[in-house]
Amino acid sequence: MAQQFDTLIIGSGLAGLTLALQLADQKKICLVSKREVSDSASSWAQGGIAAVLNHDDSIDAHIKDTLMAGAGLCNKDMTRMVIEHGREAVQWLIDLGVEFTREADDSKYHLTREGGHSHRRVIHAADATGKAVQNTLGQKVRAHPNITILENHIAVDLITTTKLNKTKKNKCLGAYVLDIASGKVITIGAQQTTLATGGAGKVYLYTTNPDISTGDGIAMAWRAGCRVSNMEFVQFHPTCLFHPHAKSFLISEIVRGEGGLLKLPDGTRFMPQHDERAELASRDIVARAIDFEMKRLGLDCVYLDITHKSPTFIKEHFPTIHKRCLELGIDITTSPIPVVPAAHYSCGGVMTDNKGQTDIENLYAIGETACTGLHGANRLASNSLLECLVLGRAAAAHILKAKTHAMPDLPYWDESRVTDADEEVLITHTWNELRRFMWNYVGIVRTDKRLSRAMHRIHMLRDEVHEFYSNFRVSNNLIELRNLLQVSELIVKSAMARQESRGLHYSKDYPELLPEAKPTILEPGANYSLLDNKHGH
Ligand SMILES: Cc1cc2nc3c(=O)[nH]c(=O)nc-3n(C[C@H](O)[C@H](O)[C@H](O)COP(=O)(O)OP(=O)(O)OC[C@H]3O[C@@H](n4cnc5c(N)ncnc54)[C@H](O)[C@@H]3O)c2cc1C
């Protein structure tokens, strides 16, 4: 028998936890998370949550800043809706007990100002906002009797009426989920299913994202028949530590802000040649300049040098960075820091409306997995956690009003034609190959030639992974690889479709901005459909 719930939520980051808590008093929830509940990009968020919380600030100013960053591609209604609901969403977190940092005199919450924001409006919990929010919400979710949590369970694919040949109108009925420990795939049926699976940074060799960010929700939704949008807009953080044992450690912008200089291995500065603001140019420009120098000289990394400041200054201003680098054998008071740009945020995703509804009835997508149109062609800092909160709450309100529908019997996962994989190296090799060519060909600066090379390789790997998926029992790594490959194809396809440079998408072949801003919308169809499900039905 399939396990039945009112609502299935796939993902336990801020989006998934918000939705779960909003629904749990009235619905039986199944919350599936492929690692532990706390293992998410949300936990890693440092800066904070943008919202209009100060008298000097205004909704219109926040909207204006968001639209400016989005380079003509933000959906204006969605932007207004998210920003207008910011204050109440933050208040909900405060009511749940999240302890945000207060002013020194304790009179009010301390708000920081980040790049692109015209006002102080980022509420935070020191430099570990995500952890504070995730811990508080995680505890509430664990304590709620109506929430069944399945940790170390990874969703493989959605179950829909179209896949079951039940109706022409596509409706979501639940999902197949792999219990990673036992290797068994279970069937979960639900009135509504929500994808809250986060971003897809692991498509790239270098990323600030945690290992869970493999674009699973985007790939599952696409395979099930949803449109995806704006996948070419991947935000790169300019400076991530380059070290074999330091996965995804961010070297914050404040190091450049306090005088850090970017240098080539021979000690030459290069930023002044790229922008008159040199190291203080905007994130995209710095990331693009580093990428240019690395490709020009065939470098593995460049260096961020702060050694001209006194050791006391460095330790006082960057205690975490100093400590972490020292653990890895780099004393930043005497040596420059090896850095590379790294994929940070996916602006595109599953197309949804302002309630998180996708193209498939009873299927929702919220958080970084979704493309609501808020971020347009470039995300304004700290608007992403805000979006998780507001859309999590909006989806909950919609689900609570939905009528109950009859559920058909759901088929089991069919393993009769598959065997255990004999060589895991095939998966790890393909994974490494994919992430490397995505980095080199579909990274910060793109050309038609690089994109078509990437697409060619994706098609070759697709055939190999398809064969593997059809013949062997599914594993966590295979599921993630299959999804990464799918998402890579969607990114390349979208990048090829955009013949201009806008926001985060920069093409050497089309450096100009077209007069009209249009989103890239991919419609599922025979040509794009990658790696059909052989197991389920
Ligand atoms: C280092 C860093 C710093 C950041 N700082 C900020 C900031 O200061 N402010 C801001 O607004 N944004 C920030 N961001 C971006 C922000 O953290 C993310 O956009 C946001 O947390 C995404 O939340 P989410 O709930 O959509 O996904 P996530 O928090 O990534 O959660 C995804 C969840 O889905 C689960 N999952 C994924 N696939 C499956 C599957 N197949 N089956 C089961 N479970 C699955 C994962 O295990 C995880 O629980 C930062 C990001 C990073 C990486």
Side-chain angles (χ1 to χ4, degrees), residues 10-16 32-37 39-50 114 129 134 153-156 196-199 208-210 212-214 216-217 220 248 250 344-345 366-369 379 381-386 388 479 483:
I10 304 171
S12 61
L14 180 57
V32 176
S33 186
K34 68 179 172 180
R35 304 281 184 276
E36 289 181 7
V37 163
D39 212 338
S40 67
S42 300
S43 291
W44 288 20
Q46 298 169 346
I49 306 169
E114 287 188 336
T129 308
Q134 181 96 20
H153 281 64
I154 177 168
V156 187
T197 48
T208 64
N209 289 189
I212 55 98
S213 305
T214 51
D216 298 0
M220 283 189 277
S248 321
L250 264 190
H344 189 52
Y345 186 82
I366 50 174
E368 197 170 333
T369 300
R379 175 191 68 129
S382 292
N383 265 357
S384 35
L385 291 178
L386 173 70
C388 290
I479 293 165
N483 292 332

Side-chain angles (χ1 to χ4, degrees), residues 184-213:
K184 293 273 169 254
V185 176
I186 54 175
T187 308
I188 300 181
Q191 295 281 315
Q192 297 89 20
T193 300
T194 300
L195 298 165
T197 48
K202 293 296 281 187
V203 156
Y204 289 98
L205 185 61
Y206 302 115
T207 176
T208 64
N209 289 189
D211 286 347
I212 55 98
S213 305

